[in-house]
Amino acid sequence: MFKFSLFSPQPPLFQIKMDPETDSKLRIGFVGAGNMAFGIAKGIMSGGNILPANVNVSAPSNRNLGRFQEMGISVTNSNTEVVCGSDIVFVAVKPHLVRGVLNQISEYITKRHIVVSVAAGVTLATLEELLPENTVVIRLMPNLPCIVQEGALLFARGSHAKPNDAALVRSLLLRCGLVEEGPEAWLDIHTGLSGSGVAFVYLFAEALAEGAVKMGMPSSLAHSIASQTVLGAGQLLRDSGKHPAQLRSEVCTPGGTTIYGLHTLEQGGLRASTMSAVESATERARELGQNSATRK
């Protein structure tokens, strides 16, 4: 059904070239209409190869469907309608809803489908147990910046997913941001690092701005500068290829303002608190996975 063009001989890194003729026929479905579904849909369609008419989204209410309609995407309240009309199905619902949703759509999943779950903590074993035998399953962990095509996405293949299945999903997601494949054990860590980490960055940005407000800067200006500071620092970190410690040292001068500020952050335990926050979020993701596996 699909034509693949492999650029790299190394399986973890290879990509497929999107073929406009075949990709225009690829049908994508989203069960769930939250922010993750919206961000992924925007990224997938931004390349122009996937036609809006071939994307369908379902949700139990119409509350979040309007923004998909604005992109020309078909919407419905029927999950089975989406599954029957799709080749790749993104299951983008809350973790506690996954079992019920998969029980509902399982009988409509065929050998042609690739099922991609974005539910935090729900393991590949649980997904494969709830779906028909030999179903191709991929577990994907995106994060909120997918909405602006600057996400960090990590995925793992199920036992029946082949390299070409992973390559197809990777190529669809490339415009959503950074896309990597790894073992499933890393996905919960990624949830703590990047999924929850986005909120940690927002908290830090808020604190930066409030510090400036405390020192006399107007709030609106302080928040604008704080957001640009986070954006610029992140882009420099990504594009320079340097270790964060190296970039940090380049900002510091002997006896200067930055080293005084860093000393205060160290006294407050910023580094240890951040590491513990990632650890806590990771452990919670693992708990969600254990709960989903035991819940019947």
Side-chain angles (χ1 to χ4, degrees):
M1 180 176 180
F2 309 113
K3 294 188 292 186
F4 300 99
S5 174
L6 303 183
F7 287 123
S8 169
Q10 299 179 14
L13 300 176
F14 71 76
Q15 301 171 3
I16 59 173
K17 184 177 181 180
M18 302 297 280
D19 184 331
E21 181 180 352
T22 54
D23 297 331
S24 64
K25 301 175 184 178
L26 186 64
R27 299 175 301 174
I28 312 294
F30 291 88
V31 176
N35 285 331
M36 290 300 99
F38 182 63
I40 293 170
K42 280 185 65 177
I44 286 175
M45 292 176 55
S46 65
N49 291 338
I50 303 299
L51 302 177
N54 287 347
V55 182
N56 293 278
V57 180
S58 64
S61 73
N62 296 328
R63 184 180 59 183
N64 292 326
L65 294 178
R67 54 184 176 175
F68 291 93
Q69 290 177 301
E70 291 174 1
M71 293 193 292
I73 293 174
S74 299
V75 300
T76 177
N77 299 125
S78 170
N79 294 337
T80 56
E81 181 181 333
V82 165
V83 172
C84 292
S86 302
D87 303 301
I88 300 179
V89 179
F90 287 87
V91 179
V93 299
K94 299 295 184 183
H96 70 279
L97 299 175
V98 169
R99 184 174 292 272
V101 166
L102 293 188
N103 284 336
Q104 178 190 48
I105 67 174
S106 179
E107 63 180 293
Y108 303 98
I109 298 293
T110 68
K111 293 181 179 180
R112 83 166 191 271
H113 285 104
I114 297 176
V115 178
V116 183
S117 169
V118 300
V122 182
T123 65
L124 286 167
T126 298
L127 296 168
E128 291 181 339
E129 174 192 344
L130 295 170
L131 290 166
E133 188 176 0
N134 298 324
T135 298
V136 174
V137 178
I138 287 176
R139 183 179 163 198
L140 170 70
M141 285 292 101
N143 67 352
L144 186 60
C146 285
I147 293 177
V148 291
Q149 283 75 66
E150 289 291 352
L153 304 91
L154 182 67
F155 70 90
R157 279 183 274 161
S159 57
H160 306 294
K162 297 179 173 58
N164 278 357
D165 299 319
L168 175 59
V169 170
R170 177 194 285 270
S171 287
L172 285 173
L173 296 172
L174 279 177
R175 291 183 179 272
C176 295
L178 175 69
V179 185
E180 298 287 354
E181 180 180 1
E184 185 178 21
W186 292 356
L187 294 184
D188 291 335
I189 303 172
H190 176 73
T191 299
L193 168 64
S194 189
S196 300
V198 170
F200 307 158
V201 172
Y202 293 152
L203 180 63
F204 181 69
E206 180 185 14
L208 277 179
E210 289 178 346
V213 172
K214 178 182 178 182
M215 300 310 296
M217 181 178 286
S219 178
S220 60
L221 178 60
H223 282 88
S224 177
I225 292 176
S227 64
Q228 184 62 37
T229 300
V230 171
L231 174 65
Q235 185 167 332
L236 181 59
L237 177 61
R238 180 190 64 185
D239 295 347
S240 70
K242 295 180 180 179
H243 191 280
Q246 183 178 353
L247 288 172
R248 174 171 53 81
S249 68
E250 291 176 1
V251 181
C252 293
T253 55
T257 61
T258 304
I259 194 62
Y260 270 69
L262 286 171
H263 183 214
T264 300
L265 290 175
E266 292 287 5
Q267 288 177 320
L270 175 69
R271 193 193 309 244
S273 295
T274 302
M275 293 171 66
S276 295
V278 174
E279 180 181 7
S280 296
T282 299
E283 293 298 341
R284 178 54 180 162
R286 289 171 176 165
E287 288 176 8
L288 291 173
Q290 293 170 356
N291 292 341
S292 69
T294 57
R295 188 184 297 119
K296 300 296 182 183

